[in-house]
Amino acid sequence: MNPRLLALLLLFLPAAWASAAIAPTHPRLLLTPDGVTALRQNLGRAPLFDAALAEAKAQVDRALAAPLEVPVPRDAAGYTHERHKQNYTEMQLAGLLYQVTRDAKYARFVRDLLERYAQLYPTLGAHPAGRGQAPGRLFWQTLNEAVWLVHVSQAYDCIYDTLSPDERARYETALLRPMARFLSEERMQEFDRIHNHGTWAATAVGMIGYALGDEELVQKALLGSKRDGQAGYFRQMDELFSPDGYYCEGPYYARYALMPFILFAQVIENNDPGQQVFARRQQILRQAVYATLQQTSPQGAFLPFNDSLKDKDIRSDEVVLAVDVVYSRYGRDPRLLSIAQRQGSVFLGGPGLEVAQALAANPTPPAFPFASVEFKDGPDGRAGGVGLLRATPAADAALVLMKYSAFGMEHGHYDKLAVMYYDQGREIIPDYGAARFLNVDQKFGGRYLPENNSFAKQTIAHNTVTVDERSNYGGSFKTAEEAHAERVFFSAQDPAFQVMSALDRTAYPGVLMHRTVALVRDAKLPQPVVVDVFRLRASAAHRYDLPYYYAGQFLETNVALTPHVTSRPVLGAKHGYQHLWVAAEGQATGPVRFTWMNQQRYYTLTMAADATARVALVQVGANDPSFNLRNENAVLLRQDGRGDHVFAAVLEPHGHWDGVRERTYGGRPTIQEVRVLAASAEGTAVRITGPGGLEWTLLIAAAETVAGAHRLTVGGETFSWEGAVALRKR
Amino acid sequence: MNPRLLALLLLFLPAAWASAAIAPTHPRLLLTPDGVTALRQNLGRAPLFDAALAEAKAQVDRALAAPLEVPVPRDAAGYTHERHKQNYTEMQLAGLLYQVTRDAKYARFVRDLLERYAQLYPTLGAHPAGRGQAPGRLFWQTLNEAVWLVHVSQAYDCIYDTLSPDERARYETALLRPMARFLSEERMQEFDRIHNHGTWAATAVGMIGYALGDEELVQKALLGSKRDGQAGYFRQMDELFSPDGYYCEGPYYARYALMPFILFAQVIENNDPGQQVFARRQQILRQAVYATLQQTSPQGAFLPFNDSLKDKDIRSDEVVLAVDVVYSRYGRDPRLLSIAQRQGSVFLGGPGLEVAQALAANPTPPAFPFASVEFKDGPDGRAGGVGLLRATPAADAALVLMKYSAFGMEHGHYDKLAVMYYDQGREIIPDYGAARFLNVDQKFGGRYLPENNSFAKQTIAHNTVTVDERSNYGGSFKTAEEAHAERVFFSAQDPAFQVMSALDRTAYPGVLMHRTVALVRDAKLPQPVVVDVFRLRASAAHRYDLPYYYAGQFLETNVALTPHVTSRPVLGAKHGYQHLWVAAEGQATGPVRFTWMNQQRYYTLTMAADATARVALVQVGANDPSFNLRNENAVLLRQDGRGDHVFAAVLEPHGHWDGVRERTYGGRPTIQEVRVLAASAEGTAVRITGPGGLEWTLLIAAAETVAGAHRLTVGGETFSWEGAVALRKR
């Protein structure tokens, strides 16, 4: 959008959503008196908003009809945990409903619960199920306590005017200030962490600070416990996102972090517009929301690298809030409306009303621009990144992601240069994600499972190379956090040859890993294929293992495999290997072909190999006494005793299978062979062949010599190219 | 519907779809001259018909633009197989398009292919990939050859008038008559079988007979190769369906058999209305279609007992045809339109036009009456049956099926008294169905896999009791075919207590098996539960194994299990046991509780047991060298050294889990205990208890004493009831 037009639009934002001077009035957090008037005046005019309000009303009205319950905390995912979550949600909604309807019953409900919490809270010590460094009081971890206060401060703000001075004094003294003190002083380390937990804590303390008109709490929230800018909300904003808006933990936790970032930005803007929080860092909040949306699957799930649960998607409350606020604050991009439409819900506040009104006026908004895109990692954008190639913006088009970012904090995985691949709108080469059943009490209280550490985080759980059966950095979190991979090249200019290339020198000392992944279209092939070249360079000999996890039904391979049919060995002893059954194994005799089917399509991996390569079919699930893992399958290529080695493969989707109509075609792949022609100091050459004169040569400059002209001679043929990567088709 | 009203409606059927005297004109099979006129006059008026026609036109126009290919037959699921299928489909459609459009190019296309086939066919011997008793020539099995002729006879009929006498003579002499002779003479045994293969062959021969005006072929088709009524179409119709319309092979093959039954009925009615084929056996064709529709899952798949592929559903061409013809021939039941709507397509002929017109006029037809229903098996309805209980007609409601039919011919499974259960619209206690990847050449040429016999058909693959690790009838097909289970009782009158009860004395000599399955609603439970009581009576001691296969993620059990984490034993040596890995095993100490989750809901099996019961978690996949099996899971209860024994369980759906919104509740079951109070000559009493005074007693009369009054005294309590089953709630 034209920046002048944008400025103009911002000028005409309804006064309620634009800023106002710090008001002594309530509500003053997410709602303002003018904003409430606007909401009330527009009821019945924006169906999505009305529906969200009706849903909230139904939920709170059910709560009003039921007895209040404020149980003594006991569990981490059972009844008491869920009940306190339910209470804060219902209090926040009741506060909002009070403002919108002026029905005193909603204010009374919030007051009654505040009363009960004010009685309970002073009696609490450490939570009985508390774990880790930051146990809470009401909840097993401080994090949930901050989330509780983020909600309850809104409820308190909404009904503030209905309370007597005595009531206010009682709730503030027994509950709200002690909780702010607990978060910012007793849990100061957590509060000052540059981490989503810190963002939540700062937001909680800042919101209750604004609600109480307590400037000291606000300053702590904005600038850290020492009020010196070394921590706090602004520092979080500066450090946790890259200049592209990439969030350091990846998209699944970006979703979670966006909630406090966006909520508190709204509150700051309403109370302290001089901070210009939405303009900060070249509109980093806007960038962050667009980047998070880009990192979603065709189904709307967050691309599941690092600790990620695949059940979460863009319909989650956090993303609904983020999309609505970004729509409202940054020039009303109509393409965001298509996301709101898929969400089927809006945020209950001014921005949600705006989105609902816009959708009512424009029920067929333009599509969100899903595209091939690279995000750099690190506050300065110099810590690698993630690359994402999409064949087309269509939901069922191929999508391939490579991860070459920094580690990603506690939720990071040891998965340097891992890839994942989607097609037909589904995972085809999946990333396992996290081993956790969120909120399922029977599964370790809903927390991360032991197998998350012992398997899901380990290198062998990912579609990348494990060296010598050890995870990246030997599995050392401290080492991993200090390192990152490096981007080499990313180009999505040519729809027939999109390519990304990255390397890592840190995960395995003495081993240089350089992976190049291209999405190639060709008139000889009905679908775009992925070309994957993984070069390893080391002076010592190593064992290199490269698994491709595949979703679907294995059909055939040209390798003579010995299946383990009456007892299955385990692949190894540690670093995740102990969780892999060996279902079959064998020796390659030349290029390996491996075909499976996933619903309506066939997929073949054709992999360069010779008689020194071993092949195994492995299945997740060994050493899993509580059946916490999903039994996913992989084909694993193993190269032993090598210093330098190149894994090169083509992943080819082909054919069609229709079980209803009993029709099929194209069950065998077109690509016949993948061969490594050369791997020298100048670069790598990979030859891909098939019938009808299909002959491609992928040329990749060695990592040290990316820029400039390159020349490679192989068996009488000389190839010349400019830059990092080139594809020659005969 | 009122029969007089029906008669009236039939009177006013458009003349084209009602019968006409045998016409010397063409077309005369599925189309008639008047019918074609009606189709042409109504183009552009019925969107679903127009869409189906446009799709056919697009398909045939693509074929017209491509070179003709009539390859020498070679494979069973590869290129030549698929190509001949494609040819017959395109020929049939081109014939139809010629009639509708009068564009000569369509007639030429059919003629050119007839010419090629007339050259090829005389050169063919036995098919090189032919297997079994009835190899074909063009195809590996005679069956496909019959299907070819069913299609091509339609094509020939449609373009008959465009051919010169020479051309007709050539095609009839070289191709059509030899093929009819091959089917009815060389493959006489197959032709005269009371079996869907026989139905297809009779239909093929009868259709070409009508097309050529060859009364002898027609008589063979209707009355068998000897024209004596001992075989042929009418005998098939009398023997293959029960009076309820249940098809002896089950719903998956009912779908397949309905195609020739319905097609040929249309042809007979058009040419020989005096046969009154649609009225035959109290409108058995109507009954058969309604029965098949009832036996579908909420997703529209056929309930997968016997050899069934779960990819098939009501959208398949056969069911589209059947629904449209039944709609047209039997009083235009508007509830069939809701099925047509889900199919999204109509048959390209008069009945399809009628359905499309009706849907255009009535786009919100009433729902098909999915209900609890019992179907009896056997031509006289005395060979057991299947019972199907639905909690409500809603698609996401619980559905439980018990199978107590006859064996079901070659595609039958050794699964007497097996159950399957659906909820949330999905399989929760699944039946494995068939082990086959239809049309997937890499998987054994797309044929039934060896594991279909070695696992999928075996008793242990089903949710029923296996005695002494041997399948029903010791796995003897011949013995199985001569026997059947018996219905005891079926009642769906009381929505709070729907119940079915069946027994079998044949599968295991000396062992009486009696299973009673109820769907119970209760105000104390949010969802209906399944109560399952499986009583075994024998004088000798046996090993009784009862697995429940479950779909979803195991969460917890109260049994102390020893997991096999570094190597897994196999459960047994034969009868399917060799395909089950033992993932964990243990000893019960009292009632067994087993909880898993499936997407948004939790499920718990609470099973009566004491310290003599063993429990194992098993997984399908051992001894599967080609990875042909799906790795499904079961919890297995084993009772050793017993003559009399009662397995009693409650399957309880509970709670809710929402991963997007991070909400959950009800993760633990309400039912606390299931206990067998008594099992005597008078009957069985099972007690089910839970909190809040939940105490049910299920009373089941012994198999010998179903009728009349019963009385049972247990520990001072005396229960009296009338009839087969009663439920007492405290």
Side-chain angles (χ1 to χ4, degrees), chain A residues 55 59 77 82 85 89 252 255-256 311-318 345 437-443 553-556 561 563-570 578 581 583-584 595 597 602 617 619 621-631 633 654 657-665 667-669, chain B residues 55 59 77 82 85 89 252 255-256 311-318 345 437-443 553-556 561 563-570 578 581 583-584 595 597 602 617 619 621-631 633 654 657-665 667-669:
Chain A
E55 195 187 323
Q59 185 180 350
E82 288 298 320
K85 279 170 63 182
T89 303
Y252 176 82
R255 162 201 60 81
Y256 192 61
D311 312 290
K312 274 285 178 195
D313 65 31
I314 56 165
R315 294 171 302 158
S316 71
D317 293 344
E318 303 95 320
S345 188
F437 295 90
L438 185 65
N439 280 359
V440 179
D441 194 40
Q442 293 99 330
K443 285 294 187 191
Q553 172 66 43
F554 163 66
L555 295 185
E556 73 177 356
L561 290 172
H564 294 294
V565 297
T566 57
S567 80
R568 284 184 167 177
V570 176
Q578 73 275 24
W581 296 112
T595 300
M597 69 190 295
Y602 300 88
L617 305 194
Q619 186 176 60
N623 282 294
D624 179 20
S626 304
F627 301 94
N628 287 337
L629 292 168
R630 299 189 303 269
N631 302 141
N633 297 293
H654 52 98
W657 184 87
D658 181 338
V660 172
R661 299 194 152 187
E662 294 195 26
R663 286 181 202 152
T664 192
Y665 59 82
R668 296 259 162 36
Chain B
E55 196 187 321
Q59 185 180 348
E82 287 298 321
K85 279 170 62 183
T89 303
Y252 177 82
R255 162 201 60 80
Y256 191 62
D311 312 289
K312 274 284 178 194
D313 65 31
I314 56 165
R315 294 171 303 156
S316 70
D317 293 344
E318 303 95 320
S345 188
F437 294 91
L438 185 65
N439 279 1
V440 179
D441 192 39
Q442 293 98 331
K443 285 294 189 190
Q553 173 65 45
F554 163 66
L555 295 184
E556 73 178 357
L561 291 173
H564 295 293
V565 297
T566 57
S567 80
R568 284 184 169 176
V570 176
Q578 73 276 24
W581 297 111
T595 300
M597 68 191 296
Y602 300 89
L617 304 193
Q619 187 176 59
N623 282 295
D624 179 21
S626 304
F627 302 94
N628 286 339
L629 292 168
R630 299 189 303 269
N631 302 141
N633 298 291
H654 52 98
W657 184 86
D658 181 340
V660 172
R661 298 196 152 186
E662 294 194 26
R663 287 180 202 150
T664 192
Y665 59 81
R668 297 262 165 25

Side-chain angles (χ1 to χ4, degrees), chain A residues 86 171 192 300 314 334 338 343 361 370 426 435 614 705:
Chain A
Q86 183 184 336
Y171 308 149
D192 284 343
I314 56 165
S338 71
Q343 292 171 329
F370 289 107
R426 289 189 290 280
R614 288 194 63 77
T705 62

Side-chain angles (χ1 to χ4, degrees), chain A residues 149-181:
Chain A
L149 189 56
V150 165
H151 286 79
V152 173
S153 61
Q154 294 175 56
Y156 185 66
D157 177 49
C158 283
I159 69 150
Y160 187 91
D161 291 342
T162 72
L163 299 173
S164 70
D166 272 5
E167 287 169 333
R168 289 178 200 151
R170 194 154 62 245
Y171 308 149
E172 292 180 14
T173 309
L175 179 65
L176 303 172
R177 288 185 184 280
M179 200 176 262
R181 199 158 49 235

Side-chain angles (χ1 to χ4, degrees), chain B residues 402-465:
Chain B
M402 176 161 55
K403 185 187 174 210
Y404 42 94
S405 63
F407 190 67
M409 305 200 177
E410 286 82 353
H411 296 296
H413 283 200
Y414 297 93
D415 61 351
K416 286 285 175 284
L417 310 190
V419 300
M420 60 183 83
Y421 168 81
Y422 290 70
D423 194 34
Q424 305 180 73
R426 287 189 290 281
E427 294 179 295
I428 304 296
I429 301 281
D431 188 290
Y432 191 90
R436 181 186 192 185
F437 294 91
L438 185 65
N439 279 1
V440 179
D441 192 39
Q442 293 98 331
K443 285 294 189 190
F444 205 56
R447 295 186 288 263
Y448 284 99
L449 293 159
E451 291 75 13
N452 193 56
N453 280 323
S454 64
F455 180 70
K457 279 176 174 269
Q458 302 298 319
T459 308
I460 195 64
H462 298 86
N463 304 298
T464 189
V465 169

Side-chain angles (χ1 to χ4, degrees), chain B residues 246 295 303 305 371-376 384-390 399-405 418-420 487 489-490 499-502 517:
Chain B
Y246 177 82
Q295 293 174 81
L303 293 172
F305 57 85
S372 296
V373 59
E374 182 184 40
F375 296 106
K376 300 188 190 72
V386 299
L388 209 161
L389 304 179
R390 286 184 162 94
L399 177 168
V400 57
L401 175 140
M402 176 161 55
K403 185 187 174 210
Y404 42 94
S405 63
V419 300
M420 60 183 83
R487 73 180 296 272
F489 185 71
F490 181 93
V499 60
M500 54 192 169
S501 188
V517 176

Side-chain angles (χ1 to χ4, degrees), chain B residues 23-231:
Chain B
T25 54
H26 290 270
R28 63 167 72 159
L29 295 183
L30 291 158
L31 296 178
T32 60
D34 286 351
V36 169
T37 306
L39 290 184
R40 292 166 64 94
Q41 284 171 346
N42 284 288
L43 294 181
R45 294 185 189 170
L48 265 187
F49 187 87
D50 294 336
L53 194 69
E55 196 187 321
K57 201 165 170 307
Q59 185 180 348
V60 177
D61 287 350
R62 270 196 307 274
L64 261 56
L68 297 187
E69 295 197 35
V70 179
V72 175
R74 193 176 59 233
D75 47 65
Y79 169 71
T80 72
H81 179 87
E82 287 298 321
R83 184 71 210 196
H84 290 298
K85 279 170 62 183
Q86 185 185 332
N87 285 350
Y88 71 58
T89 303
E90 289 169 358
M91 287 168 83
Q92 184 255 322
L93 292 175
L96 176 102
L97 288 170
Y98 169 69
Q99 286 292 338
V100 175
T101 67
R102 295 289 174 209
D103 189 332
K105 69 182 177 186
Y106 296 117
R108 277 199 305 272
F109 174 78
V110 174
R111 185 200 61 195
D112 292 348
L113 277 164
L114 284 169
E115 197 70 57
R116 298 283 291 272
Y117 275 105
Q119 286 161 27
L120 175 69
Y121 193 73
T123 71
L124 297 179
H127 190 281
R131 300 280 166 101
Q133 299 163 340
R137 287 179 171 176
L138 265 181
F139 292 93
W140 68 281
Q141 58 177 350
T142 298
L143 173 62
N144 299 86
E145 207 121 325
V147 178
W148 188 95
L149 189 56
V150 165
H151 285 78
V152 173
S153 61
Q154 294 175 57
Y156 185 67
D157 178 49
C158 282
I159 67 150
Y160 187 91
D161 291 341
T162 72
L163 298 173
S164 69
D166 271 4
E167 286 167 335
R168 288 179 202 149
R170 195 156 61 244
Y171 309 149
E172 293 181 15
T173 309
L175 178 66
L176 302 173
R177 288 185 185 279
M179 200 177 261
R181 199 158 48 233
F182 174 73
L183 292 173
S184 62
E185 296 177 24
E186 286 186 55
R187 293 285 177 267
M188 191 192 297
Q189 199 185 346
E190 177 100 341
F191 184 81
D192 283 344
R193 271 176 89 191
I194 306 302
H195 185 283
N196 79 62
H197 289 197
T199 313
W200 274 104
T203 298
V205 169
M207 283 172 73
I208 199 66
Y210 278 120
L212 304 181
D214 184 326
E215 185 62 25
E216 184 183 327
L217 288 180
V218 169
Q219 289 302 311
K220 282 185 172 183
L222 297 178
L223 302 172
S225 66
K226 300 193 182 54
R227 287 176 277 169
D228 60 359
Q230 291 302 303

Side-chain angles (χ1 to χ4, degrees), chain B residues 252-312:
Chain B
Y252 177 82
Y253 272 96
R255 162 201 60 80
Y256 191 62
L258 280 172
M259 185 109 176
F261 272 115
I262 298 280
L263 278 181
F264 199 28
Q266 288 282 88
V267 173
I268 296 168
E269 189 74 8
N270 282 340
N271 289 277
D272 214 353
Q275 297 283 4
Q276 297 199 43
V277 61
F278 284 104
R280 196 177 173 93
R281 272 193 90 193
Q282 287 81 52
Q283 306 186 336
I284 193 69
L285 292 178
R286 176 181 181 280
Q287 301 267 34
V289 172
Y290 279 80
T292 304
L293 291 172
Q294 279 290 359
Q295 293 174 81
T296 56
S297 79
Q299 308 276 13
F302 303 101
L303 293 172
F305 57 85
N306 294 340
D307 282 344
S308 299
L309 301 184
K310 298 180 182 180
D311 312 289
K312 274 284 178 194

